[in-house]
Amino acid sequence: MTDYRYLIIGGGMVADAAARGVRELDADGTIGILSEDVDRPYARPALSKKLWTDPDFSWDEKVDLHTEETGASFVLGTAVTGIDRASKTVTTADGQTHGYERLLIATGGKPRGLPGLEPSDRVLDYRSADDYRKLRELADAGAHVVVVGGGYIGQEITAGVVQNGARVTLVDPDDIVGGRMFPDDLARAFQQRFVDAGVDLRLGRRVESGTQTADGVTLTLDDGTVLDADAVVAGLGIEPATQLAVDAGLTVRDGIVVSSTLLTDDDSVFAAGDVAEYPDRILGTRRVEHVDNAQQQGRQAGRNLADADETYDHTPMFYSDVFDMGYEAVGQVSTKLRTVEDWQDPTVTGVVYYLDDDDTVRGVLLWNVWDKTDEARKVLAEANSLTSDMLPGRITA
């Protein structure tokens, strides 16, 4: 059995940030990172962003996070199968046992799959660097790629692949690309960029079934349409990977329930990242699947593993770059909420505020407006004292 003072389950950006957070307070305590991934921690957003659009964006300098700088030990390519809180040990699929004094669960999420299709070299959940390498090889050879799901990741993958010369079909259950997030005029302008780039859009459609061979994948849509592809990317979101926590007797709702210091029911076990349901000081109880949260919450979890006992008080942002468009946002960005639009140049530069039924601002979208996320957080923090007529002009480019 290998013992560590600090043991981290999961090898993503949370793990890297946590190891660095530990080192801010403890220069010598042993750190172990157990990961199903075959790569050390890396900057996951690059898989759907810069690696497709910037030829000078190198893996070693820009993507690999070089977590080895913290002195952490890595066990890669293996899954954790159980946590024994009484003995403070975890077991892995290869039969190894690892002891801990403090444990961080950073297991992230499991992608939602497609009916009848298991992940393979041609059917990609697109959660890992290995998925990127497989898709890159196919795309560079001029493959026909079908992306299923027009959400955050699906949009970015579609844009990245089509800009690299491959043929892309996007299957989106929404009637307009971006229609769940953006007001109608903005969503239609956003969708037009995909049309202009040559993406074949199959809107209002879902995949009903699929088959694959060594040479390709065939999808049948719910209207009977059959699509033949060289590769399929599933961009259908994730389910938080909470089963380890459930089996260990920890409280789980939407995610693993943690306190403001990221502590679970067990005073030796913390959780952070996609998998953690935590109390946001501005927006209340939530679970966040974006990189800013992974980095900031991971760092705080690492510091608290090393006895800092500090509140995680950061309200995270998220961002996206698609073709020549980009945005940053804080809070809830959904057209289920009422919107107040404040455009300097309609659908080009402006701010969209998202309000609930009580006319309280719950989210802010900064469309081609940069470095204003602190101002957006301030709007959310003061939302109870703001009326909708006070919003235009509040944040400017």
Side-chain angles (χ1 to χ4, degrees):
M1 183 172 74
T2 306
D3 288 322
Y4 299 97
R5 175 155 175 72
Y6 311 104
L7 185 61
I8 303 169
I9 303 175
M13 298 186 75
V14 172
D16 173 77
R20 296 180 187 279
V22 165
R23 287 292 178 245
E24 292 176 14
L25 299 177
D26 183 348
D28 302 313
T30 54
I31 303 171
I33 297 176
L34 310 178
S35 175
E36 295 183 36
D37 209 329
V38 297
D39 295 281
R40 292 178 315 206
Y42 48 85
R44 192 178 298 274
L47 302 182
S48 60
K49 293 183 173 74
K50 283 282 192 177
L51 283 170
W52 294 98
T53 59
D54 186 346
D56 297 323
F57 201 76
S58 74
W59 183 273
D60 186 62
E61 292 181 14
K62 302 287 189 177
V63 186
D64 188 334
L65 295 175
H66 295 289
T67 313
E68 73 278 3
E69 296 169 349
T70 67
S73 298
F74 301 91
V75 179
L76 301 176
T78 189
V80 173
T81 55
I83 301 169
D84 187 330
R85 291 163 51 200
S87 65
K88 289 192 171 184
T89 59
V90 306
T91 53
T92 57
D94 57 1
Q96 300 298 308
T97 302
H98 303 273
Y100 64 85
E101 292 182 37
R102 296 288 176 85
L103 179 69
L104 173 61
I105 303 174
T107 43
K110 300 295 184 184
R112 298 185 180 99
L114 291 165
L117 293 173
E118 292 296 321
S120 69
D121 287 348
R122 293 182 181 274
V123 177
L124 307 173
D125 291 331
Y126 214 80
R127 288 288 291 173
S128 70
D130 194 45
D131 289 335
Y132 164 74
R133 289 188 284 263
K134 291 173 182 175
L135 185 60
R136 183 91 226 192
E137 183 177 353
L138 290 163
D140 286 350
H144 175 212
V145 178
V146 175
V147 179
V148 182
Y152 184 78
I153 293 298
Q155 294 164 8
E156 292 186 346
I157 293 297
T158 297
V161 173
V162 79
Q163 288 179 93
N164 281 267
R167 185 161 63 93
V168 184
T169 299
L170 175 61
V171 180
D172 189 346
D174 291 339
D175 292 328
I176 304 174
V177 180
R180 294 188 185 188
M181 294 179 63
F182 310 137
D184 187 68
D185 284 353
L186 177 57
R188 291 184 186 279
F190 183 70
Q191 176 175 287
Q192 189 60 44
R193 303 298 177 91
F194 291 83
V195 174
D196 293 344
V199 176
D200 178 11
L201 298 178
R202 304 301 178 99
L203 302 176
R205 301 272 66 92
R206 299 177 184 273
V207 173
E208 194 168 80
S209 63
T211 58
Q212 62 177 308
T213 67
D215 298 321
V217 186
T218 299
L219 300 178
T220 301
L221 306 187
D222 55 4
D223 63 352
T225 299
V226 176
L227 299 175
D228 293 315
D230 297 298
V232 173
V233 177
L236 301 173
I238 65 170
E239 297 287 348
T242 58
Q243 194 59 50
L244 276 175
V246 171
D247 293 344
L250 300 172
T251 301
V252 173
R253 292 195 296 254
D254 181 41
I256 302 170
V257 175
V258 296
S259 68
S260 62
T261 58
L262 308 177
L263 193 63
T264 68
D265 305 317
D266 186 320
D267 61 11
S268 297
V269 181
F270 295 75
D274 296 355
V275 79
E277 179 181 315
Y278 73 98
D280 186 289
R281 67 184 180 89
I282 295 175
L283 296 172
T285 300
R286 63 200 302 242
R287 187 179 62 80
V288 177
E289 298 175 4
H290 295 292
V291 62
D292 184 37
N293 187 61
Q295 292 173 312
Q296 299 298 325
Q297 200 172 72
R299 173 180 177 266
Q300 189 61 70
R303 289 179 59 84
N304 288 350
L305 285 168
D307 295 323
D309 193 32
E310 297 166 342
T311 295
Y312 177 61
D313 61 2
H314 178 69
T315 296
M317 57 83 77
F318 62 97
Y319 72 101
S320 185
D321 297 299
V322 179
F323 299 116
D324 59 347
M325 301 167 291
Y327 64 83
E328 295 178 340
V330 182
Q332 298 177 34
V333 176
S334 168
T335 48
K336 291 180 180 179
L337 302 174
R338 185 172 76 85
T339 58
V340 173
E341 301 175 54
D342 184 17
W343 294 102
Q344 290 179 280
D345 187 352
T347 73
V348 176
T349 305
V351 181
V352 181
Y353 301 91
Y354 294 77
L355 290 74
D356 63 18
D357 291 339
D358 296 324
D359 273 356
T360 302
V361 181
R362 304 297 295 173
V364 181
L365 173 68
L366 305 163
W367 192 266
N368 289 321
V369 173
W370 307 107
D371 301 320
K372 300 289 185 176
T373 53
D374 283 343
E375 292 183 34
R377 292 184 183 98
K378 185 177 180 182
V379 168
L380 294 172
E382 298 174 351
N384 288 330
S385 63
L386 298 175
T387 56
S388 57
D389 62 312
M390 298 168 68
L391 298 174
R394 200 164 194 87
I395 301 175
T396 58

